[in-house]
Amino acid sequence: MTVDSPGFATTAVPAARRQGAAPSRATPIYLTAGFEFDDFDHAADHFGTGAGFGYTRTGNPTVHAVERQLAALESASEAVLVASGQAAVVTALLTVAGAGDHIVSSTHIYEGTRGLLLDNLARLGIETTFIDDIADADAWRGAVRPNTRALFGESIANARNDILDIAAISGVADEFAIPLIVDNTLATPFLLRPLEHGAAMVVHSASKFLAGHGSVLGGVILDDGRFDAATAGHNAPHLVLPGRGGLPSVAARHGGNARIAYARESVAPRFGASPSPLNAFLIGQGAETLGLRVERQSRNALDVARWLSAQDAVESVDYVGLESHPDHSLAAKYLQGGHGSIFTFTLSGGLDAARDFVESVEVFTHMTHIGDVRSLVLHPATTSHSHRSPDERDVLGVRPGTLRLSIGIENVADLIADLARVLEPARQAVA
Ligand SMILES: *Cc1c(COP(=O)(O)O)cnc(C)c1O
């Protein structure tokens, strides 16, 4: 403090200014809106080149550390962390598409993403064609138009637990020099890394398994760093043409990382869904135990699914870990170390049985969330999928008696005891 006798307020505000770095082993939380410039030229240089840290919406050391951690887990070249999974999907799609462009998407996607495509992106002039039979590569190929800018799907889809054949569908994307973007939220990089199978971009809701404890929202966009201006530039003029004021193109400045650089420079900070450094820290801390949790959750889920499929009150169980699931053998190609913890099952007692179930379970929490350390249950037909027609719900495997489970890390005997109490024959008979 160079002022001789500063007033109370002046004394109060400069706390921790230029605090020296201590070798913190845990990721330090830089909970700050901005960063002090060394001098006049440093500020000019930061605004000119984007190097270093100036303002937290465009870059923050805590956020950056978590981006590097998640990129390493997904075998990605780079990652951009944003405020929610929805922000990640928006950022990825607006990185590749603009007005007049077209996207081909799986029908079997998160309802928020479907609404984004049908309502918001449609209003911005981006049209989507949906594919019901995602295993049919010809259906994807046939839907591609000259203005198609990306294929989009989920690695493991809710509600039927279908597996996207990433190698086959990314092969279709390659034929047209466009990226396959995979939402890998349900599989997590512990079970599956889509970029290793040919996908070009990956998105996650980090609110789910990555953070893992149901306390924060976040999202991440990851890229393989293999954008090729020579072969794909005609599908991405915004990456290969010079920028405003004669700035060299994004591809000229960032090469193979042009897509993710554009997401970082032009999409994420402008649309403004910046993550809080505190939330970034919690996502990074969660990701440290991702493998332990998902391994345990997958084991628990398989035990619960097997137990459910042996019950009279249960009509069907859609869990890809069961041999009876149509994609079980495809899962062997893509999933390592388990089959995930989210699946649906259908009670033969229909809507009434489903209502009784969600109101009677005690270890399970009735909540619209997934990928939590706690086991959760939701009735899709009256909640997440209530805006679909009965026919559409049928295609998606959502019937009146269908319930979605997200299995947590609890002792599996306690989960099964909770289910047994609710589904026991005596109770079903009187219900
Ligand atoms: C939850 C979810 C999203 C949206 O993520 P938020 O963090 O809730 O914004 C997107 N995709 C999938 C598959 C999800 O489960």
Side-chain angles (χ1 to χ4, degrees):
M1 190 62 59
T2 48
V3 177
D4 276 347
S5 49
F8 183 86
T10 309
T11 305
V13 290
R17 185 177 189 185
R18 295 219 169 240
Q19 187 186 48
S24 168
R25 183 60 189 86
T27 309
I29 303 171
Y30 284 85
L31 200 59
T32 180
F35 302 85
E36 193 167 357
F37 293 117
D38 294 337
D39 53 32
F40 193 84
D41 291 338
H42 180 208
D45 181 64
H46 172 73
F47 274 80
T49 65
F53 298 105
Y55 187 56
T56 278
R57 178 160 50 69
T58 56
N60 176 286
T62 309
V63 172
H64 196 54
V66 176
E67 289 173 341
R68 284 199 311 269
Q69 177 191 14
L70 298 181
L73 291 178
E74 273 288 6
S75 301
S77 173
E78 282 189 34
V80 174
L81 198 70
V82 289
S84 70
Q86 277 302 110
V89 176
V90 172
T91 301
L93 293 176
L94 293 182
T95 291
V96 298
D101 291 341
H102 175 250
I103 290 163
V104 180
S105 170
S106 160
T107 301
H108 307 272
I109 55 172
Y110 180 69
E111 287 297 309
T113 304
R114 182 168 173 269
L116 169 77
L117 291 165
L118 285 173
D119 302 333
N120 310 86
L121 295 191
R123 270 170 54 81
L124 296 178
I126 301 170
E127 210 187 327
T128 304
T129 301
F130 289 94
I131 304 295
D132 281 353
D133 183 4
I134 59 170
D136 182 358
D138 286 335
W140 289 88
R141 190 177 287 110
V144 173
R145 305 174 186 170
N147 61 340
T148 303
R149 297 294 177 246
L151 309 184
F152 182 88
E154 296 183 359
S155 50
I156 304 179
N158 173 43
R160 287 190 329 199
N161 245 230
D162 320 75
I163 301 289
L164 185 69
D165 190 342
I166 296 167
I169 307 310
S170 67
V172 175
D174 288 344
E175 289 169 27
F176 299 95
I178 54 175
L180 169 66
I181 305 174
V182 175
D183 183 332
N184 197 33
T185 300
L186 267 68
T188 83
F190 175 69
L191 300 178
L192 166 65
R193 290 170 296 284
L195 302 180
E196 293 177 356
H197 297 276
M201 299 174 80
V202 164
V203 292
H204 279 275
S205 167
S207 326
K208 314 293 171 50
F209 290 100
L210 296 180
H213 298 72
S215 54
V216 294
L217 302 190
V220 64
I221 306 103
L222 304 114
D223 192 282
D224 68 356
R226 296 206 195 106
F227 175 77
D228 182 355
T231 58
H234 62 291
N235 286 320
H238 58 298
L239 301 184
V240 297
L241 296 177
R244 266 188 291 118
L247 190 71
S249 74
V250 187
R253 287 182 290 120
H254 297 282
N257 280 315
R259 259 186 322 243
I260 194 77
Y262 185 81
R264 183 188 302 286
E265 287 178 0
S266 283
V267 186
R270 300 254 177 80
F271 286 86
S274 318
S276 158
L278 178 60
N279 288 4
F281 169 83
L282 290 166
I283 291 163
Q285 189 173 64
E288 291 177 9
T289 58
L290 178 70
L292 298 176
R293 285 182 283 109
V294 175
E295 195 175 24
R296 164 83 168 223
Q297 286 168 290
S298 295
R299 216 165 47 230
N300 281 358
L302 183 59
D303 285 354
V304 170
R306 281 192 179 134
W307 184 88
L308 282 170
S309 58
Q311 304 308 307
D312 289 341
V314 175
E315 200 171 279
S316 59
V317 181
D318 290 317
Y319 182 53
V320 77
L322 297 177
E323 279 101 53
S324 56
H325 192 284
D327 285 350
H328 184 70
S329 54
L330 191 60
K333 173 173 176 184
Y334 288 108
L335 304 181
Q336 274 156 20
H339 293 86
S341 90
I342 295 152
F343 66 92
T344 57
F345 72 100
T346 300
L347 291 168
S348 34
L351 186 66
D352 290 343
R355 178 190 295 272
D356 181 56
F357 183 95
V358 297
E359 290 183 351
S360 306
V361 283
E362 284 168 6
V363 182
F364 283 78
T365 303
H366 182 202
M367 179 170 148
T368 175
H369 183 52
I370 53 172
D372 200 307
V373 289
R374 287 157 282 267
S375 291
L376 312 174
V377 60
L378 190 73
H379 182 247
T382 53
T383 59
S384 57
H385 291 67
S386 61
H387 297 298
R388 300 260 197 167
S389 71
D391 281 353
E392 284 176 332
R393 282 201 288 269
D394 214 51
V395 169
L396 298 172
V398 173
R399 285 172 286 159
T402 300
L403 292 159
R404 182 187 73 197
L405 300 182
S406 174
I407 302 295
I409 62 168
E410 301 95 335
N411 297 94
V412 71
D414 296 327
L415 296 175
I416 290 175
D418 199 28
L419 299 173
R421 191 179 47 74
V422 176
L423 297 179
E424 69 195 5
R427 185 186 182 95
Q428 289 296 305
V430 294

mmCIF file of all heavy atoms in Angstrom, residues 84-87 89 110 113 154 183 185-186 205-208 217-218 370, ligand 1:
data_model
loop_
_atom_site.group_PDB
_atom_site.id
_atom_site.type_symbol
_atom_site.label_atom_id
_atom_site.label_comp_id
_atom_site.label_asym_id
_atom_site.label_seq_id
_atom_site.Cartn_x
_atom_site.Cartn_y
_atom_site.Cartn_z
ATOM 1 N N SER A 84 -22.826 -25.526 -18.304
ATOM 2 C CA SER A 84 -23.760 -26.644 -18.186
ATOM 3 C C SER A 84 -23.598 -27.555 -19.392
ATOM 4 O O SER A 84 -22.960 -27.178 -20.386
ATOM 5 C CB SER A 84 -25.213 -26.132 -18.127
ATOM 6 O OG SER A 84 -25.593 -25.611 -19.391
ATOM 7 N N GLY A 85 -24.203 -28.729 -19.309
ATOM 8 C CA GLY A 85 -24.177 -29.640 -20.452
ATOM 9 C C GLY A 85 -24.898 -29.045 -21.646
ATOM 10 O O GLY A 85 -24.461 -29.195 -22.793
ATOM 11 N N GLN A 86 -26.006 -28.360 -21.393
ATOM 12 C CA GLN A 86 -26.723 -27.720 -22.489
ATOM 13 C C GLN A 86 -25.846 -26.681 -23.176
ATOM 14 O O GLN A 86 -25.833 -26.576 -24.401
ATOM 15 C CB GLN A 86 -28.012 -27.056 -21.983
ATOM 16 C CG GLN A 86 -29.184 -28.002 -21.840
ATOM 17 C CD GLN A 86 -29.531 -28.708 -23.146
ATOM 18 O OE1 GLN A 86 -29.325 -29.903 -23.293
ATOM 19 N NE2 GLN A 86 -30.054 -27.986 -24.110
ATOM 20 N N ALA A 87 -25.088 -25.919 -22.385
ATOM 21 C CA ALA A 87 -24.174 -24.931 -22.971
ATOM 22 C C ALA A 87 -23.117 -25.628 -23.820
ATOM 23 O O ALA A 87 -22.691 -25.097 -24.853
ATOM 24 C CB ALA A 87 -23.520 -24.097 -21.866
ATOM 25 N N VAL A 89 -23.534 -28.456 -25.534
ATOM 26 C CA VAL A 89 -24.161 -28.880 -26.788
ATOM 27 C C VAL A 89 -24.354 -27.663 -27.701
ATOM 28 O O VAL A 89 -24.033 -27.709 -28.893
ATOM 29 C CB VAL A 89 -25.508 -29.589 -26.514
ATOM 30 C CG1 VAL A 89 -26.200 -29.937 -27.822
ATOM 31 C CG2 VAL A 89 -25.290 -30.853 -25.689
ATOM 32 N N TYR A 110 -31.035 -36.664 -25.462
ATOM 33 C CA TYR A 110 -31.535 -35.926 -24.302
ATOM 34 C C TYR A 110 -32.622 -34.934 -24.761
ATOM 35 O O TYR A 110 -32.470 -34.259 -25.784
ATOM 36 C CB TYR A 110 -30.341 -35.195 -23.691
ATOM 37 C CG TYR A 110 -30.645 -34.381 -22.479
ATOM 38 C CD1 TYR A 110 -30.984 -34.985 -21.278
ATOM 39 C CD2 TYR A 110 -30.578 -32.994 -22.526
ATOM 40 C CE1 TYR A 110 -31.244 -34.224 -20.160
ATOM 41 C CE2 TYR A 110 -30.839 -32.225 -21.406
ATOM 42 C CZ TYR A 110 -31.172 -32.855 -20.231
ATOM 43 O OH TYR A 110 -31.434 -32.098 -19.123
ATOM 44 N N THR A 113 -31.647 -31.350 -25.567
ATOM 45 C CA THR A 113 -30.940 -31.195 -26.840
ATOM 46 C C THR A 113 -31.928 -31.246 -27.992
ATOM 47 O O THR A 113 -31.821 -30.490 -28.966
ATOM 48 C CB THR A 113 -29.886 -32.310 -26.998
ATOM 49 O OG1 THR A 113 -29.014 -32.266 -25.874
ATOM 50 C CG2 THR A 113 -29.099 -32.147 -28.280
ATOM 51 N N GLU A 154 -25.668 -39.801 -29.210
ATOM 52 C CA GLU A 154 -25.204 -40.062 -27.845
ATOM 53 C C GLU A 154 -24.622 -41.467 -27.772
ATOM 54 O O GLU A 154 -25.187 -42.404 -28.336
ATOM 55 C CB GLU A 154 -26.360 -39.891 -26.847
ATOM 56 C CG GLU A 154 -26.871 -38.457 -26.827
ATOM 57 C CD GLU A 154 -27.985 -38.198 -25.803
ATOM 58 O OE1 GLU A 154 -28.389 -39.150 -25.094
ATOM 59 O OE2 GLU A 154 -28.444 -37.052 -25.744
ATOM 60 N N ASP A 183 -22.323 -36.993 -27.703
ATOM 61 C CA ASP A 183 -22.595 -36.685 -26.291
ATOM 62 C C ASP A 183 -22.269 -37.952 -25.505
ATOM 63 O O ASP A 183 -22.958 -38.966 -25.627
ATOM 64 C CB ASP A 183 -24.063 -36.270 -26.122
ATOM 65 C CG ASP A 183 -24.384 -35.855 -24.685
ATOM 66 O OD1 ASP A 183 -23.727 -36.358 -23.758
ATOM 67 O OD2 ASP A 183 -25.328 -35.051 -24.493
ATOM 68 N N THR A 185 -22.060 -38.307 -22.179
ATOM 69 C CA THR A 185 -22.411 -38.124 -20.765
ATOM 70 C C THR A 185 -22.677 -39.449 -20.059
ATOM 71 O O THR A 185 -22.180 -39.683 -18.953
ATOM 72 C CB THR A 185 -23.664 -37.228 -20.650
ATOM 73 O OG1 THR A 185 -23.381 -35.957 -21.236
ATOM 74 C CG2 THR A 185 -24.072 -37.024 -19.195
ATOM 75 N N LEU A 186 -23.469 -40.335 -20.667
ATOM 76 C CA LEU A 186 -23.865 -41.562 -19.964
ATOM 77 C C LEU A 186 -22.735 -42.581 -19.879
ATOM 78 O O LEU A 186 -22.680 -43.376 -18.949
ATOM 79 C CB LEU A 186 -25.104 -42.206 -20.624
ATOM 80 C CG LEU A 186 -26.449 -41.778 -20.005
ATOM 81 C CD1 LEU A 186 -26.733 -40.316 -20.275
ATOM 82 C CD2 LEU A 186 -27.584 -42.640 -20.498
ATOM 83 N N SER A 205 -22.396 -33.439 -20.276
ATOM 84 C CA SER A 205 -22.909 -32.721 -19.128
ATOM 85 C C SER A 205 -22.010 -33.120 -17.973
ATOM 86 O O SER A 205 -22.082 -34.253 -17.487
ATOM 87 C CB SER A 205 -24.356 -33.118 -18.827
ATOM 88 O OG SER A 205 -24.687 -32.627 -17.537
ATOM 89 N N ALA A 206 -21.138 -32.202 -17.542
ATOM 90 C CA ALA A 206 -20.240 -32.482 -16.414
ATOM 91 C C ALA A 206 -21.008 -32.486 -15.098
ATOM 92 O O ALA A 206 -20.472 -32.869 -14.062
ATOM 93 C CB ALA A 206 -19.114 -31.456 -16.369
ATOM 94 N N SER A 207 -22.288 -32.054 -15.161
ATOM 95 C CA SER A 207 -23.150 -32.071 -13.971
ATOM 96 C C SER A 207 -23.407 -33.496 -13.494
ATOM 97 O O SER A 207 -23.819 -33.712 -12.358
ATOM 98 C CB SER A 207 -24.516 -31.454 -14.291
ATOM 99 O OG SER A 207 -24.412 -30.407 -15.219
ATOM 100 N N LYS A 208 -23.190 -34.459 -14.387
ATOM 101 C CA LYS A 208 -23.546 -35.851 -14.090
ATOM 102 C C LYS A 208 -22.329 -36.580 -13.509
ATOM 103 O O LYS A 208 -21.879 -36.216 -12.449
ATOM 104 C CB LYS A 208 -24.080 -36.508 -15.360
ATOM 105 C CG LYS A 208 -25.111 -35.654 -16.133
ATOM 106 C CD LYS A 208 -26.408 -35.448 -15.394
ATOM 107 C CE LYS A 208 -27.350 -34.439 -16.036
ATOM 108 N NZ LYS A 208 -27.623 -34.596 -17.446
ATOM 109 N N LEU A 217 -23.439 -27.723 -11.723
ATOM 110 C CA LEU A 217 -23.656 -27.934 -13.149
ATOM 111 C C LEU A 217 -22.379 -27.568 -13.904
ATOM 112 O O LEU A 217 -21.618 -26.699 -13.474
ATOM 113 C CB LEU A 217 -24.811 -27.063 -13.661
ATOM 114 C CG LEU A 217 -26.178 -27.236 -13.005
ATOM 115 C CD1 LEU A 217 -27.232 -26.479 -13.817
ATOM 116 C CD2 LEU A 217 -26.572 -28.689 -12.865
ATOM 117 N N GLY A 218 -22.200 -28.210 -15.032
ATOM 118 C CA GLY A 218 -21.067 -27.880 -15.891
ATOM 119 C C GLY A 218 -21.172 -28.657 -17.179
ATOM 120 O O GLY A 218 -21.987 -29.581 -17.302
ATOM 121 N N ILE A 370 -28.975 -37.544 -13.095
ATOM 122 C CA ILE A 370 -28.331 -38.857 -13.282
ATOM 123 C C ILE A 370 -26.852 -38.734 -12.950
ATOM 124 O O ILE A 370 -26.323 -37.628 -12.815
ATOM 125 C CB ILE A 370 -28.479 -39.371 -14.744
ATOM 126 C CG1 ILE A 370 -27.991 -38.316 -15.743
ATOM 127 C CG2 ILE A 370 -29.901 -39.809 -15.036
ATOM 128 C CD1 ILE A 370 -27.914 -38.788 -17.172
HETATM 129 C C1 LIG B 1 -28.118 -33.763 -18.478
HETATM 130 C C2 LIG B 1 -27.736 -33.968 -19.885
HETATM 131 C C3 LIG B 1 -27.502 -32.887 -20.739
HETATM 132 C C4 LIG B 1 -27.676 -31.462 -20.273
HETATM 133 O O1 LIG B 1 -26.752 -31.171 -19.273
HETATM 134 P P1 LIG B 1 -26.994 -30.045 -18.131
HETATM 135 O O2 LIG B 1 -25.709 -30.079 -17.391
HETATM 136 O O3 LIG B 1 -28.173 -30.464 -17.341
HETATM 137 O O4 LIG B 1 -27.226 -28.756 -18.850
HETATM 138 C C5 LIG B 1 -27.123 -33.150 -22.041
HETATM 139 N N1 LIG B 1 -26.984 -34.409 -22.487
HETATM 140 C C6 LIG B 1 -27.211 -35.484 -21.696
HETATM 141 C C7 LIG B 1 -27.055 -36.857 -22.256
HETATM 142 C C8 LIG B 1 -27.597 -35.300 -20.373
HETATM 143 O O5 LIG B 1 -27.840 -36.352 -19.589
#
